[in-house]
Amino acid sequence: GNPEQTPAAVNETTPAQKRENRITTHKELEPLNFSGTSSEKAKTEAENFLGRTLTVQEWNYLVRATISEASPNSQERAAVAGVILNRVRNGKFGDGVIGVLTAKNQFQAVTGTPKNRSPSKNFSKPTKRQIETTVEAIKNGISGANKNWLNFTSNNPKAYGPGTNLIFLKQV
């Protein structure tokens, strides 16, 4: 070895380790049951929109987050999935789907609220029907989602958890 090389700092945390630490703050999530859905076709449509492949874990997080962040309206679900994927492509909002979804103060259904740091029930335990309808919404609508949208806001105050500052709703 070269004695001139400096050893890596022992206590430094890499971005990948930080992301893994955020992921493990969620209870271990079981993979979603996509049987009876057109999940592979929907995943391919999402990958085409993003411009790269999604890992199985990223696809699971994308579907869970779309279920929990959007209303049951299929166009809204496709738009929400599009915003998440646009943030991934942009690179300034986190590393990959999971980094984007677990970024501080961004997706309350995933990270919780100031008063309750647990993910929403729709994220943790979506129903079979929610999975089916969301997969269909992504399959049929993601290709038409706007590739410039990096934000979405619900105009329904009930969409936000306890402790959320809602002043921004008056500015929208």
Side-chain angles (χ1 to χ4, degrees):
N2 181 348
E4 299 294 316
Q5 289 179 329
T6 313
V10 176
N11 292 327
E12 273 189 43
T13 306
T14 68
Q17 288 169 324
K18 287 179 185 174
R19 186 176 70 253
E20 287 302 315
N21 291 343
R22 280 197 308 270
I23 294 167
T24 56
T25 60
H26 286 112
K27 294 176 185 162
E28 267 317 297
L29 295 171
E30 293 288 321
L32 293 175
N33 178 358
F34 290 116
S35 68
T37 71
S38 48
S39 174
E40 284 307 311
K41 174 71 173 139
K43 183 174 177 276
T44 299
E45 290 292 327
E47 290 170 339
N48 290 341
F49 182 83
L50 177 58
R52 72 161 175 82
T53 59
L54 293 166
T55 67
V56 171
Q57 190 178 25
E58 284 183 309
W59 174 239
N60 271 267
Y61 266 69
L62 178 65
V63 172
R64 286 174 182 277
T66 301
I67 289 167
S68 55
E69 292 282 346
S71 76
N73 177 284
S74 62
Q75 288 178 305
E76 184 176 327
R77 286 192 174 174
V80 166
V83 166
I84 295 165
L85 295 174
N86 287 340
R87 286 181 173 209
V88 172
R89 188 183 320 100
N90 178 279
K92 294 180 182 171
F93 294 89
D95 184 22
V97 171
I98 296 165
V100 164
L101 292 173
T102 58
K104 188 175 180 184
N105 298 325
Q106 294 302 305
F107 293 92
Q108 286 187 349
V110 179
T111 61
T113 66
K115 294 199 182 224
N116 178 358
R117 287 291 172 200
S118 296
S120 76
K121 183 180 173 207
N122 285 340
F123 181 83
S124 300
K125 296 183 187 297
T127 66
K128 182 152 182 59
R129 178 88 179 123
Q130 287 174 313
I131 294 167
E132 289 169 354
T133 57
T134 300
V135 165
E136 284 301 306
I138 293 171
K139 181 185 88 175
N140 297 327
I142 193 75
S143 64
N146 187 316
K147 287 195 173 188
N148 297 312
W149 287 352
L150 296 173
N151 298 292
F152 62 89
T153 303
S154 174
N155 62 5
N156 180 355
K158 292 179 183 175
Y160 299 94
T164 304
N165 180 344
L166 298 177
I167 291 172
F168 70 91
L169 286 178
K170 294 178 178 137
Q171 299 166 349
V172 174

